[in-house]
Amino acid sequence: MTVKDTASPPAPLTYSKMRGMVAILIDFMKQRRMGLNDFIQKIATNSYACKHPEVQSILNISQPQEPELLNGNSSPPPSPSQQINLGPSSNPHAKPSDFQFLKIIGKGSFGKVLLARHKADEEFYAVKVLQKKAILKKKEEKHMSERNVLLKNVKHPFLVGLHFSFQTTSRLYFILDYINGGELFYHLQRERCFLEPRARFYAAEIASALGYLHSLNIVYRDLKPENILLDSQGHIVLTDFGLCKENIEPNGTTSTFCGTPEYLAPEVLHKQPYDRTVDWWCLGAVLYEMLYGLPPFYSRNTAEMYDNILNKPLQLKPNITNSSRNLLEGLLQKDRTKRLGAKNDFTEIKNHIFFTPINWDDLINKKITPPFNPNVSGPSDLQHFDPEFTEEPVPSSIGQSPESILITSSIKEAAEAFLGFSYAPPMESFL
């Protein structure tokens, strides 16, 4: 006996029914997601649970862009391009949330400089924050001169000091001396030029710092008033080692074209090999600017200025002493082999007649009273910083450690990493 299937064929799946099914699926996924979010919130706020390797693994998945989140063994290691050796200055226990970031006080090509107060010792620091992405994008990782020079632990009264450094997956943090007397550039702009005794004092402290760097076989290469700060008493502090060149022996040369247009030495413009005397040219340019108000050979037209640097004789107005005239002629000598400092480096500079009034031992021990006092009332006094920086809001992400990002602002978004659970394909794929 044959049995026939008398059951009714399934009704065709209409568009309205399909939409109803999709709505049910979406609602189901939302509930799943909310349940997962509650679960993550509970375990993330439980310090004991957070220590469990499997919990760390889950939490690390929820923040894939910061694999170092909880420093668990199960965290995927950063790629080699993200791991930057911070050497002896590295403090693996330090993190951004150790600091209260108060104001932006400067900007550079790779990041920002911020005034920050350490929450534990309540000391004020300048924190230089560099974006690894920007460094890598410009293929500058191997040219991380700032880091390399700071890691040498340079210690000199007129060079900015590094306290320690640390990193997250996306940023480098350098904890530096906080200097709030303002850029020399700022004071020069305000006063137009300085009297000779004041210019001599600054030139002597700058020369002392350059001589020290040269003794470590480091050429500074980017001396300009913007990189010369005054501390709260009025002493010079050189900062920004971004263009420093290391391992330049007394007779060694390099050939990288870099620097700031107004202060470029002729040999750099000629793209010829150059040596440490490039710094003495820059000292001459800065001294000239302090005395006259503009850099030597200056022109608004950069091409014309370059031509002046290469071909125009140095012109000195008669309103300076013979000793300063002689020093400028020696430092701004276009032929580097004849430039003051070419033979005995810093020794030639400090023995020049222009510096006769300077007692170099007293200078380096800061026993000479600076000719100008910035009169800052304390660390929070930002009168000598450009309001363009200080009025800009501090990005909240700069002060958040990966852990705090996870447990606070991103906890609500943590489940978003699991969006695969709630993914609804476009309607066409159902049709």
Side-chain angles (χ1 to χ4, degrees):
M1 176 174 146
T2 304
V3 179
K4 291 184 180 178
D5 186 1
T6 58
S8 302
L13 197 59
T14 64
Y15 179 74
S16 60
K17 284 183 180 178
M18 178 64 72
R19 287 196 62 179
M21 289 174 62
V22 171
I24 291 168
L25 279 169
I26 290 174
D27 188 54
F28 170 73
M29 293 302 181
K30 279 184 179 177
Q31 289 181 17
R32 286 287 302 272
R33 204 170 88 193
M34 288 307 295
L36 180 63
N37 191 38
D38 291 342
F39 170 67
I40 290 175
Q41 286 192 48
K42 284 177 184 176
I43 62 173
T45 52
N46 184 313
S47 59
Y48 177 78
C50 277
K51 294 175 183 176
H52 193 283
E54 291 186 15
V55 171
Q56 289 181 358
S57 179
I58 291 170
L59 297 179
N60 280 323
I61 292 170
S62 70
Q63 277 284 355
Q65 74 274 22
E66 288 279 10
E68 70 200 69
L69 283 178
L70 291 170
N71 297 318
N73 295 329
S74 54
S75 303
S79 66
S81 64
Q82 292 174 314
Q83 292 175 328
I84 294 181
N85 174 25
L86 292 176
S89 71
S90 177
N91 181 349
H93 303 295
K95 53 190 182 299
S97 57
D98 292 343
F99 295 86
Q100 181 183 5
F101 290 88
L102 305 170
K103 290 284 183 181
I104 294 172
I105 54 176
K107 280 185 176 181
S109 53
F110 299 135
K112 295 179 171 67
V113 182
L114 298 103
L115 167 62
R117 181 167 49 218
H118 195 276
K119 292 175 183 176
D121 62 21
E122 296 192 347
E123 291 290 329
F124 288 85
Y125 298 97
V127 180
K128 190 161 196 170
V129 184
L130 303 181
Q131 292 280 356
K132 290 183 182 178
K133 190 189 299 181
I135 295 165
L136 297 172
K137 186 176 180 182
K138 296 193 177 185
K139 298 181 180 176
E140 289 287 336
E141 185 182 19
K142 66 176 186 282
H143 300 302
M144 276 284 291
S145 301
E146 179 104 37
R147 182 250 320 187
N148 296 343
V149 171
L150 288 170
L151 294 191
K152 287 181 182 289
N153 204 20
V154 292
K155 289 195 182 298
H156 190 275
F158 310 130
L159 291 175
V160 70
L162 172 70
H163 293 267
F164 58 91
S165 60
F166 59 91
Q167 60 184 308
T168 66
T169 304
S170 57
R171 294 185 178 105
L172 301 179
Y173 291 75
F174 293 106
I175 314 305
L176 303 163
D177 292 333
Y178 170 53
I179 313 296
N180 68 334
E183 294 176 355
L184 192 68
F185 177 73
Y186 168 84
H187 296 290
L188 200 46
Q189 273 192 322
R190 199 174 61 173
E191 300 179 46
R192 201 183 73 78
C193 61
F194 300 146
L195 295 176
E196 195 167 299
R198 183 174 175 185
R200 175 173 25 248
F201 175 82
Y202 294 152
E205 292 196 335
I206 294 165
S208 176
L210 293 174
Y212 172 76
L213 288 175
H214 291 182
S215 74
L216 300 177
N217 295 330
I218 297 169
V219 182
Y220 186 72
R221 297 199 297 189
D222 197 26
L223 186 69
K224 56 184 175 181
E226 293 92 326
N227 286 345
I228 303 165
L229 306 182
L230 297 187
D231 68 13
S232 56
Q233 280 77 47
H235 291 283
I236 285 295
V237 180
L238 283 195
T239 185
D240 197 339
F241 301 113
L243 290 184
C244 284
K245 181 68 176 179
E246 305 166 87
N247 304 318
I248 302 296
E249 302 289 335
N251 296 318
T253 62
T254 185
S255 56
T256 309
F257 184 89
C258 66
T260 301
E262 291 90 331
Y263 308 94
L264 289 175
E267 61 270 25
V268 178
L269 281 173
H270 274 307
K271 298 186 179 178
Q272 297 171 343
Y274 57 89
D275 55 18
R276 48 183 70 184
T277 57
V278 74
D279 284 342
W280 302 129
W281 170 279
C282 292
L283 176 65
V286 169
L287 176 58
Y288 183 103
E289 186 170 1
M290 287 194 285
L291 293 172
Y292 289 118
L294 281 174
F297 312 111
Y298 179 76
S299 170
R300 281 184 175 182
N301 183 307
T302 304
E304 183 182 331
M305 182 167 63
Y306 285 172
D307 185 65
N308 291 345
I309 292 170
L310 293 172
N311 303 307
K312 189 177 179 181
L314 178 66
Q315 296 175 340
L316 299 172
K317 296 173 187 174
N319 59 331
I320 60 172
T321 63
N322 287 336
S323 64
S324 57
R325 176 184 298 270
N326 183 270
L327 178 62
L328 287 173
E329 287 172 345
L331 294 173
L332 295 171
Q333 164 62 245
K334 295 184 193 293
D335 182 347
R336 68 176 176 85
T337 63
K338 298 176 182 175
R339 192 172 299 152
L340 188 70
K343 293 178 182 176
N344 293 310
D345 200 50
F346 175 50
T347 303
E348 287 184 61
I349 311 299
K350 70 178 184 179
N351 288 338
H352 190 276
I353 189 172
F354 177 75
F355 291 114
T356 300
I358 298 291
N359 180 312
W360 292 94
D361 288 335
D362 287 348
L363 184 92
I364 202 164
N365 289 306
K366 293 187 174 180
K367 291 181 179 178
I368 300 177
T369 303
F372 167 78
N373 189 323
N375 288 317
V376 290
S377 58
S380 59
D381 187 342
L382 303 175
Q383 63 173 303
H384 299 305
F385 288 105
D386 193 332
E388 178 192 344
F389 300 141
T390 58
E391 291 174 4
E392 185 178 327
V394 176
S396 59
S397 61
I398 280 181
Q400 289 181 320
S401 300
E403 296 92 332
S404 63
I405 291 173
L406 175 68
I407 293 172
T408 56
S409 63
S410 291
I411 196 97
K412 198 163 64 175
E413 303 165 8
E416 299 297 322
F418 293 81
L419 278 181
F421 284 106
S422 59
Y423 173 67
M427 194 63 67
E428 309 88 68
S429 63
F430 282 97
L431 301 176

